[in-house]
Amino acid sequence: MRRTRLFLSTLKETPSEAQIVSHRLMLRAGLVRQSASGIYTWLPTGLRVLQKIAQIVREEQDRAGAQEVLMPTIQSAELWRGSGRYDDYGKEMLRITDRHDRELLYGPTAEEVITDIVASEISSYRDLPKNLYNIQWKFRDEVRPRFGVMRGREFLMKDNYSFDLDKAGAVHSYNKMFLAYLRTYARMGLKAVPMAADTGPIGGDLSHEFIILAETGESAVFCDEALLALDTPGDDIDYESDLQGLVDQWTAHYAATDEKHDPETCDVPAERLVTARGIEVGHIFYFGTKYSAPLGATVQGADGQQITLEMGSYGIGVSRLVGAIIEASHDDNGIIWPESVAPWTVGVINLKVGDADCDATCEKIYADLQAAGVEVLYDDRGERAGGKFADMDLVGIPWQLMVGPRGLKDGKIEVKQRAGGEKSEIALNVLGDWIAARATS
RNA sequence: CGGGACGUAGCGCAGUCUGGUAGCGCAUCACACUGGGGGUGUGGGGGUCGCAGGUUCGAAUCCUGCCGUCCCGACCA
């Protein structure tokens, strides 16, 4: 993408409503603009990041055997009356009336919709298990939206739902998601801590929150340092094998948020107890027949009897992750994206627009990077001497190539890595290798 | 939902107390000079001062109501 064509406006000063660092940087780097309280427009750069995060989530869901669907944002009140939640959910649910006075709602979650679909479409035990997910906008009318996209009212969530014949099957489905979540966060450069959790209004008796560590996180987190040293499952993980041992490795260690942490009863030795701050970015539940029973989600078993399905649900706050990653990875100059979610991998900076050598070299590098499939932002604006560098840093481009007359005289350009800020020179005649390395990584 | 604050150009702010028809920095536009880390100079453009009433010869400024936004607490992907 050429900078001159990109819709991007960065801010030198911080809008006064933004209090936390991720919100400030998202506004300053031109990722989002607020439309109403807790509701945001995603601008091109921010949308690229959001979509990259969604894609990682999608790949790990698919790998773990879940299938993608897309459910509506607007749901019928009738469906929610069926589960008894229409009256229970409270003011967080945005209720809508259409022209025929039918009651609708903007979905805060989708247990009812998916259970209704499964109830009507699946009738044999032979069609189970199933795990369906979607990545869809949700709306929860929070009393007090804040922290930008970290606690918006409208947010993008990956939510999925597993359907099994019995509890053992449901726990296996739960374990798949548990491990898939660890992989998902790790791919975004995040350290995630799974933590036993209350099940809240969704109900059930097995639940974990996934908290990622960030200095500016909302809540304090206490855990055994052994937990942080565990290896994330590799991409060769066999999700059909017995996963319980693997999951137990993670759940065996102590982990608690400040509400639950009690120094009196915590049995972790002081020297191993890690105190950090964290942000909740995922939550998984096993809740049995809480929805399948009232909504009639049953199948016929081998013996001819009807079996009520055992269910679980699993959520990842996709839009929240954008803010969470920034909280976990930034410096005074701006965002430091992990390469896996960066809006562009490489930035090309033309230090002297109008200089024939600089222009031609930049155009060639830009074309070569594109041909190699490397996502590149080419700063071809040529305005102030400093502003363009600053934008690359603010927006968090992982690799920055600086092309100027001084270096070209010696056949060199400068390479800067955003994380750490190391600079080095690279000769033009070996730049092809450098590009090839970016293409394969 | 309880407590607090704010709303003046895209962003950050001054002006409000003490009423006289709007200003500063950044951004933006033009030109020139520049170019190796938030350029320099000169000259421009942009605001029914959140909205609606009221008081007054005159309201950004005083009064009333409404709307919006943020912060602290109780609640959450």
Side-chain angles (χ1 to χ4, degrees):
Chain A
M1 175 64 72
R2 289 174 190 273
R3 182 64 182 82
T4 45
R5 293 194 189 151
L6 176 64
F7 184 101
L8 171 67
S9 54
T10 56
L11 301 172
K12 208 178 282 190
E13 286 172 286
T14 305
S16 59
E17 78 266 15
Q19 297 298 315
I20 64 162
V21 66
S22 62
H23 191 194
R24 291 178 178 181
L25 288 174
M26 288 185 74
L27 293 170
R28 288 192 47 211
L31 269 50
V32 293
R33 288 291 180 259
Q34 181 164 315
S35 174
S37 178
I39 299 176
Y40 293 84
T41 294
W42 289 78
L43 300 174
T45 307
L47 183 59
R48 289 179 72 93
V49 175
L50 185 68
Q51 288 174 333
K52 290 206 164 190
I53 292 172
Q55 184 57 26
I56 290 173
V57 170
R58 182 175 283 123
E59 286 169 11
E60 292 306 322
Q61 286 297 304
D62 291 347
R63 192 196 305 276
Q67 290 171 65
E68 186 169 12
V69 297
L70 185 58
M71 292 183 269
T73 55
I74 306 293
Q75 308 176 8
S76 114
E78 211 45 45
L79 202 47
W80 282 66
R81 288 210 173 86
S83 69
R85 277 211 293 182
Y86 190 68
D87 296 323
D88 293 349
Y89 211 95
K91 291 183 177 170
E92 277 202 358
M93 180 149 77
L94 181 65
R95 294 153 207 264
I96 305 167
T97 307
D98 73 8
R99 69 200 312 172
H100 304 293
D101 275 337
R102 282 187 291 242
E103 293 172 276
L104 300 169
L105 59 100
Y106 196 114
T109 175
E111 278 83 3
E112 282 78 3
V113 174
I114 197 72
T115 306
D116 182 57
I117 282 277
V118 169
S120 53
E121 305 301 326
I122 293 192
S123 43
S124 163
Y125 76 99
R126 294 198 277 189
D127 290 326
L128 292 179
K130 285 284 178 287
N131 186 332
L132 301 170
Y133 74 97
N134 78 166
I135 297 172
Q136 177 62 291
W137 292 92
K138 304 294 190 292
F139 193 93
R140 293 183 191 173
D141 199 0
E142 295 278 346
V143 195
R144 189 183 158 206
R146 64 188 123 163
F147 305 145
V149 301
M150 299 257 287
R151 176 87 72 86
R153 292 193 292 173
E154 188 183 49
F155 57 98
L156 188 61
M157 181 164 90
K158 185 283 299 176
D159 47 315
N160 57 319
Y161 307 90
S162 63
F163 299 86
D164 284 274
L165 284 173
D166 51 27
K167 179 161 181 180
V171 169
H172 185 239
S173 293
Y174 183 93
N175 287 343
K176 283 185 189 174
M177 287 297 115
F178 187 103
L179 297 171
Y181 274 34
L182 293 175
R183 285 189 45 76
T184 302
Y185 301 126
R187 283 187 60 186
M188 298 169 193
L190 298 171
K191 199 79 192 169
V193 178
M195 204 168 277
D198 290 330
T199 51
I202 296 182
D205 62 4
L206 178 57
S207 176
H208 285 87
E209 288 178 2
F210 289 78
I211 313 275
I212 60 118
L213 301 183
E215 281 171 30
T216 50
E218 276 190 80
S219 50
V221 174
F222 303 86
C223 71
D224 191 326
E225 67 178 9
L227 186 55
L228 299 177
L230 289 171
D231 287 330
T232 304
D235 56 12
D236 55 348
I237 180 172
D238 176 7
Y239 280 111
E240 296 315 311
S241 66
D242 181 12
L243 303 169
Q244 196 60 55
L246 215 42
V247 170
D248 289 345
Q249 277 182 24
W250 291 80
T251 55
H253 298 292
Y254 181 83
T257 53
D258 48 1
E259 301 118 30
K260 289 197 160 174
H261 178 67
D262 181 355
E264 301 296 311
T265 60
C266 171
D267 58 358
V268 180
E271 68 274 13
R272 269 182 28 212
L273 186 67
V274 175
T275 303
R277 298 199 71 79
I279 300 164
E280 185 186 346
V281 291
H283 203 155
I284 62 178
F285 304 86
Y286 159 69
F287 47 71
T289 60
K290 182 180 163 79
Y291 300 97
S292 50
L295 294 170
T298 62
V299 295
Q300 195 166 30
D303 60 0
Q305 297 297 305
Q306 290 297 316
I307 301 165
T308 302
L309 302 182
E310 292 281 330
M311 292 178 57
S313 77
Y314 317 88
I316 289 180
V318 176
S319 49
R320 169 177 280 193
L321 271 168
V322 180
I325 291 169
I326 296 170
E327 291 290 331
S329 180
H330 65 271
D331 65 14
D332 291 345
N333 295 325
I335 302 166
I336 304 175
W337 293 116
E339 272 189 55
S340 58
V341 301
W344 291 276
T345 308
V346 175
V348 174
I349 299 161
N350 187 338
L351 290 170
K352 190 163 186 176
V353 169
D355 177 279
D357 255 8
C358 283
D359 290 353
T361 306
C362 282
E363 290 292 339
K364 169 134 188 4
I365 293 173
Y366 179 52
D368 288 351
L369 282 161
Q370 285 188 311
V374 178
E375 294 176 303
V376 52
L377 176 62
Y378 169 27
D379 191 335
D380 57 342
R381 280 201 309 187
E383 289 163 302
R384 300 159 308 285
K388 49 190 144 193
F389 305 113
D391 274 3
M392 288 284 178
D393 276 0
L394 180 58
V395 171
I397 307 302
W399 298 95
Q400 301 170 18
L401 305 182
M402 277 162 275
V403 181
R406 197 177 301 173
L408 286 186
K409 213 169 46 185
D410 304 323
K412 289 174 179 170
I413 62 171
E414 190 175 298
V415 182
K416 176 186 157 185
Q417 188 167 11
R418 176 67 180 90
E422 296 92 16
K423 294 181 200 168
S424 58
E425 290 195 324
I426 183 164
L428 277 177
N429 58 8
V430 297
L431 189 62
D433 298 339
W434 189 90
I435 291 174
R438 298 273 83 66
T440 53
S441 65

